[in-house]
Amino acid sequence: MISPTNKAQSPEPEAKLPKGKEKSPTPGPAGEPSEPVGLLSGSHWAEQEQPVDDDTDSTLGSDVESSTASISSSILRYRTIKGRTYHSDAVTDQEYWGPNDDKANEMLDIFHHFMTLFLDGKLYTAPIKDDIQNALDVCTGTGLWAIDFADEHPNCNVYGTDISPIQPSWVPPNLRFVIDDVTKPWTYQENFFDYVHIRWLTAVVKDWPALYKEAYRCMKPGGWLEHIDAEVNVVCLDGTMPPDSAINQWGQIWTEIGKKTGLVVNMVDSGCMDDGIREAGFANIEVEDLLAPVSPWPVDKKQKEIGLFNYAFLTQDIEGFLTYFCPTVLGWTEKETLIYAAILRKEYKECKVHANFKWRIVRAQKPLLDA
């Protein structure tokens, strides 16, 4: 049975500025309802004035720069891979958009720290026991989550899978990284894992029910599955996001990519997570929705810090999100893609749009006795 979906938690919108003082990242009357805007073409962005990276133009000023510099100096140290590279076709025949070079990997490291902060310092929310024996991190990326989890559970054998060998060699002795494509049939034995962790695989998988069924087959009765993922459509609760802003267009861009590739990009609004997990046979399904500010626009101190880390994650490698699909799927030129990325980065930095990304956590248990 699925528990009622929790209401999305969100930072409170900032108080409105005095009349006539509203700001907007795009021309037009502020504070007035706008007509919906469809997907804008790449040429639209090429016609815009390309932003100049100038701190005097930002409401964040030196604070965000010094804060992100501190983040970079403390967590972006251990890997150097030259060039913009992608996974090997020898590993998978699936389309995966993410580069695996140093810039992309630094983005993944920042994401891990953002997500840990977002979850109040926790690596997981499923009610797993302290004495679990085997755990799997699906698509582990740079492996930071798996490393931290292995440190927290030294008596548990932890496995992390990925299609690129970008993980460090210095890891806890109970952790093993495996190069594997989880969209294909799993080679693990049945009834093996006590816990399976899946995090942020937006636009990676076409057949989620099949993946969940593989997880179900390889999990012990009573074991827990936890999947946390994001929606591409941005949420704004106070009317500060113009429909033709680059931030709002993000969801339009990825929705179109999903339509043309068959990849699932609308992870939350489509219901694919809870529906697919239920279809696989899991029970005790719990759904929780949370909102994360895209930049440090909130007044609340904790939400501002979450927004700062989210900003650092989102702006670290915007081009890496776009350069795989925008030319081949949307027909954008390199110039159009780069200018859109620059405008998006500027809008994040200005904090004028009080936007959030919606994240969904689904926890589910394999029944103790199969039907």
Side-chain angles (χ1 to χ4, degrees), residues 7-315:
K7 184 178 181 181
Q9 303 299 307
S10 170
E12 291 292 331
E14 286 186 330
K16 291 186 177 180
L17 294 172
K19 187 174 181 180
K21 298 295 185 179
E22 297 92 339
K23 297 180 179 180
S24 171
T26 55
E32 296 181 3
S34 302
E35 292 296 323
V37 173
L39 175 65
L40 298 173
S41 66
S43 61
H44 166 84
W45 302 108
E47 293 167 359
Q48 309 306 307
E49 181 179 355
Q50 189 163 358
V52 177
D53 188 10
D54 183 356
D55 284 343
T56 61
D57 185 47
S58 170
T59 58
L60 292 176
S62 61
D63 289 343
V64 70
E65 298 303 326
S66 60
S67 298
T68 53
S70 175
I71 293 171
S72 298
S73 65
S74 63
I75 66 177
L76 307 180
R77 294 174 178 166
Y78 74 90
R79 180 173 292 106
T80 301
I81 301 176
K82 295 181 179 180
R84 178 117 285 202
T85 59
Y86 292 83
H87 65 81
S88 170
D89 289 338
V91 179
T92 178
D93 55 6
Q94 302 292 318
E95 283 189 303
Y96 176 56
W97 51 266
N100 62 4
D101 52 34
D102 62 330
K103 189 173 185 180
N105 295 340
E106 289 171 357
M107 178 268 291
L108 292 176
D109 287 352
I110 298 173
F111 168 73
H112 172 66
H113 287 266
F114 151 69
M115 185 57 64
T116 304
L117 178 67
F118 186 43
L119 296 181
D120 294 323
K122 297 179 292 186
L123 293 174
Y124 57 91
T125 66
I128 60 177
K129 298 180 180 179
D130 293 334
D131 60 350
I132 61 172
Q133 297 177 316
N134 299 293
L136 175 67
D137 185 28
V138 175
C139 298
T140 193
T142 55
L144 291 189
W145 184 92
I147 291 170
D148 288 348
F149 187 86
D151 281 336
E152 280 193 9
H153 299 81
N155 296 319
C156 175
N157 298 310
V158 181
Y159 301 81
T161 66
D162 205 88
I163 58 174
S164 291
I166 57 175
Q167 302 77 32
S169 57
W170 44 271
V171 298
N174 57 321
L175 171 59
R176 178 187 176 190
F177 291 122
V178 180
I179 304 304
D180 193 17
D181 181 1
V182 296
T183 65
K184 299 183 182 300
W186 292 13
T187 57
Y188 298 103
Q189 66 189 61
E190 295 184 3
N191 304 320
F192 181 67
F193 292 111
D194 300 276
Y195 177 57
V196 172
H197 174 260
I198 305 172
R199 186 174 72 177
W200 190 40
L201 296 188
T202 305
V204 173
V205 177
K206 292 183 178 180
D207 191 347
W208 275 107
L211 189 149
Y212 293 134
K213 288 174 183 177
E214 287 297 293
Y216 185 94
R217 180 177 63 82
C218 295
M219 289 177 62
K220 294 178 183 177
W224 283 89
L225 169 76
E226 182 166 9
H227 184 180
I228 176 168
D229 230 306
E231 173 65 27
V232 294
N233 294 305
V234 185
V235 177
C236 179
L237 303 176
D238 63 0
T240 58
M241 183 171 67
D244 59 348
S245 63
I247 290 178
N248 188 58
Q249 281 288 303
W250 183 261
Q252 300 268 14
I253 289 168
W254 279 96
T255 297
E256 186 67 15
I257 289 171
K259 289 178 181 177
K260 292 186 175 181
T261 63
L263 295 167
V264 181
V265 300
N266 298 301
M267 297 295 298
V268 178
D269 292 348
S270 69
C272 74
M273 296 167 66
D274 22 320
D275 290 345
I277 287 172
R278 185 198 311 112
E279 181 182 334
F282 287 93
N284 298 327
I285 300 174
E286 301 174 348
V287 178
E288 183 178 3
D289 287 343
L290 302 169
L291 295 180
V294 302
S295 63
W297 61 261
V299 174
D300 178 80
K301 183 178 179 181
K302 179 180 178 182
Q303 290 295 324
K304 183 177 288 292
E305 184 180 13
I306 291 172
L308 175 63
F309 273 78
N310 202 11
Y311 164 84
F313 150 58
L314 292 170
T315 59

Side-chain angles (χ1 to χ4, degrees), residues 329-349:
V329 175
L330 301 183
W332 289 19
T333 66
E334 181 181 5
K335 178 182 177 182
E336 292 165 350
T337 302
L338 292 177
I339 291 178
Y340 170 76
I343 294 172
L344 179 60
R345 185 177 285 108
K346 180 175 182 286
E347 289 184 6
Y348 280 140
K349 188 176 183 181

